[in-house]
């Protein structure tokens, strides 16, 4: 790192910064917080920690406080300084790195629904399964785990009945949701679905809630804020079929 600074020749800024680092980390006084030869004799026993802003949280006001110069920390220890990366922070960082799938569902009928007849809702495949990411630093590793809880459906109309009654369709063991519609199921109640009771056009929405937690190799663990992914409103047209008796 110091070598890169010294390549900057503009008004001698590179050498000035390089000399400043050398005076602290190469020829420093340990009694005054300095170091000798960049602690090369301690290689493998620890590392220098430096202030780094999480790119996913660069707009957080606390990011401006990441201004401390590098300092030495033994492996497996967490420095007693504000905003130091600890087991929980590693868990939060791992959580930020989890790639959760988008929320999308299939509906039948896919075009126009009919009053008092159920519309089936499902998501095939195995994408709604547990996701995890591990982050490590200084001999400590934290794993963040995101578990899908349920698909919550919002029909967009008070004149509708949802299945199940809570509106929360459980996640199947294989990571799918509900049950695909097939010929012959018209008279059955869907595992996940909605029945509209009035004709009209409604903005249907569905959301997946992911419960997130973290656990570290030092025995610490805890919950993290849920992640909720909602589909854009999907227009559902509902028609009423009238019959004439003679």
């Amino acid at each position: 790192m110091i070598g890169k600074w010294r390549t900057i020749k503009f008004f001698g800024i590179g050498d000035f910064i390089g000399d400043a680092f050398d005076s602290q980390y190469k020829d420093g006084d340990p009694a005054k917080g300095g170091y000798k030869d960049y602690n090369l004799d301690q290689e493998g026993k620890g590392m220098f920690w430096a202030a780094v802003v999480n790119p996913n949280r660069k707009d957080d006001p606390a990011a401006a406080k990441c201004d401390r110069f590098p300092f030495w920390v033994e492996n497996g220890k967490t420095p007693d300084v504000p905003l130091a990366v600890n087991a929980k922070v590693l868990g939060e960082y791992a959580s930020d790195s989890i790639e959760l799938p988008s929320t999308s569902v299939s509906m039948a009928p896919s075009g126009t629904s009919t009053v008092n007849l159920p519309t089936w809702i499902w998501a095939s495949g195995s994408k709604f399964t547990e996701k995890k990411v591990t982050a490590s630093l200084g001999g400590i590793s934290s794993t963040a785990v995101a578990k899908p809880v349920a698909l919550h459906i919002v029909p967009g109309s008070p004149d509708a009945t949802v299945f199940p009654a809570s509106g929360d369709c459980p996640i199947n063991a294989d990571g799918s949701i509900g049950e695909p519609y097939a010929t012959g199921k018209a008279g059955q109640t869907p595992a996940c679905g909605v029945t509209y009771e009035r004709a009209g056009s409604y903005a249907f929405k569905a959301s997946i809630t992911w419960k997130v937690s973290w656990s570290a190799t030092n025995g610490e663990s805890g919950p993290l804020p849920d992640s909720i992914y909602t589909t854009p409103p999907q227009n559902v047209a509902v028609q009423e079929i009238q019959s004439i008796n003679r």
Side-chain angles (χ1 to χ4, degrees), residues 23-190:
S23 66
Q24 175 70 8
Y25 299 99
K26 182 180 180 182
D27 305 312
D29 183 355
K32 297 180 179 180
Y35 304 92
K36 291 292 185 181
D37 294 324
Y38 292 89
N39 268 15
L40 289 177
D41 61 331
Q42 299 296 312
E43 187 173 4
K45 300 179 181 179
M47 64 181 67
F48 279 102
W49 285 44
V52 178
V53 176
N54 183 340
N56 294 324
R57 303 189 180 190
K58 62 183 179 180
D59 295 326
D60 191 314
K65 298 181 181 180
C66 292
D67 57 0
R68 180 165 176 169
F69 281 98
F71 56 97
W72 181 263
V73 181
E74 293 181 6
N75 287 337
K77 292 186 176 181
T78 300
D80 185 20
V81 296
L83 302 178
V85 175
N86 52 33
K88 181 180 179 182
V89 173
L90 278 176
E92 292 173 338
Y93 182 79
S95 174
D96 287 344
S97 301
I98 295 178
E99 295 185 2
L100 298 178
S102 60
T103 302
S104 59
V105 296
S106 299
M107 304 178 72
S110 59
T112 302
S113 296
T114 302
V115 169
N116 293 329
L117 291 180
T119 295
W120 290 58
I121 299 168
W122 73 93
S124 301
S126 58
K127 64 179 182 178
F128 297 113
T129 55
E130 180 179 288
K131 313 293 182 183
K132 61 176 62 177
V133 169
T134 298
S136 303
L137 180 67
I140 298 176
S141 295
S142 290
T143 299
V145 179
K147 297 180 179 180
V149 178
L151 175 82
H152 182 71
I153 55 177
V154 179
S157 169
D159 299 314
T161 300
V162 294
F163 308 101
S166 63
D168 294 324
C169 302
I171 310 295
N172 298 324
D174 63 356
S176 63
I177 298 172
E179 180 184 352
Y181 177 78
T183 302
K185 294 182 178 181
Q188 301 178 20
T189 298

